């Protein structure tokens, strides 16, 4: 089988489109008190903003995640759960990303930001950006 320049061009276009779509799969969210501070809420969840829904879809699922703090060494890997808290209501949805207690989120505070990015393998990065 002979490969033509047109075939190579098509493959490069597909790779470019894939990388472009992955680059768009990142955003930063300012954390509210209930998302960040255990003494304000025990829910351990990020509210499912549109960008998270675009990144993770609408099906309930577990997702490998890597938590880190921008500018600091170390990270914490764990599984998070994406789900619709109103999945039993046919006309309403309220998506959330549940995370177990972890050392990164233990230092998060209201006003800090979380940068979410999707990896090609389906995992996500959750990078805490402190609001000094």
């Amino acid at each position: 089988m002979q490969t033509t320049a047109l075939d190579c061009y098509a493959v490069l276009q597909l790779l470019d489109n894939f990388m472009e779509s992955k680059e768009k799969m990142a955003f930063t969210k300012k954390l509210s008190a209930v998302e960040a501070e255990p003494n304000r809420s025990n829910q351990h969840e990020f509210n499912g903003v549109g960008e998270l829904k675009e990144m993770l879809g609408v099906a309930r699922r577990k997702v490998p995640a890597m938590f880190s703090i921008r500018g600091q060494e170390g990270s914490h890997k764990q599984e998070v759960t994406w789900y619709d808290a109103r999945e039993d209501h046919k006309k309403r949805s309220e998506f959330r990303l549940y995370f177990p207690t972890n050392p990164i989120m233990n230092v998060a505070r209201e006003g800090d930001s979380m940068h979410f990015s999707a990896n090609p393998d389906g995992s996500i990065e959750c990078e805490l950006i402190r609001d000094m």
Side-chain angles (χ1 to χ4, degrees):
M1 178 175 201
Q2 188 173 347
T3 303
T4 67
L6 187 57
D7 292 334
C8 291
Y9 178 76
V11 169
L12 289 173
Q13 277 299 117
L14 286 171
L15 286 171
D16 282 347
N17 291 344
F18 174 77
M19 293 310 293
E20 184 178 310
S21 71
K22 290 302 171 191
E23 286 174 20
K24 292 180 183 174
M25 297 301 264
F27 71 96
T28 303
K29 175 189 188 332
K30 189 167 283 286
L31 299 178
S32 66
V34 297
E35 292 171 311
E37 298 182 20
N39 62 339
R40 300 283 293 273
S41 173
N42 218 12
Q43 69 184 35
H44 293 25
E45 295 173 324
F46 299 114
N47 293 322
V49 295
E51 293 90 350
L52 269 176
K53 189 174 177 184
E54 182 180 335
M55 183 183 288
L56 299 172
V58 296
R60 175 187 280 263
R61 65 189 186 114
K62 295 190 179 295
V63 181
M66 184 68 70
F67 285 80
S68 63
I69 301 173
R70 182 168 286 177
Q72 293 186 16
E73 294 284 324
S75 59
H76 181 78
K77 186 176 184 176
Q78 69 182 162
E79 195 172 70
V80 295
T81 303
W82 175 247
Y83 72 103
D84 182 356
R86 306 268 186 230
E87 60 193 357
D88 292 334
H89 297 260
K90 293 180 185 204
K91 295 183 180 182
R92 291 183 58 197
S93 63
E94 192 175 305
F95 288 90
R96 300 185 187 261
L97 184 63
Y98 170 80
F99 57 90
T101 300
N102 69 61
I104 305 301
M105 289 307 296
N106 284 346
V107 299
R109 295 293 170 257
E110 178 180 14
D112 288 349
S113 295
M114 183 62 69
H115 182 76
F116 295 93
S117 57
N119 295 317
D121 66 1
S123 66
I124 60 173
E125 305 282 331
C126 305
E127 181 183 32
L128 181 65
I129 304 166
R130 302 300 309 271
D131 180 31
M132 302 293 177

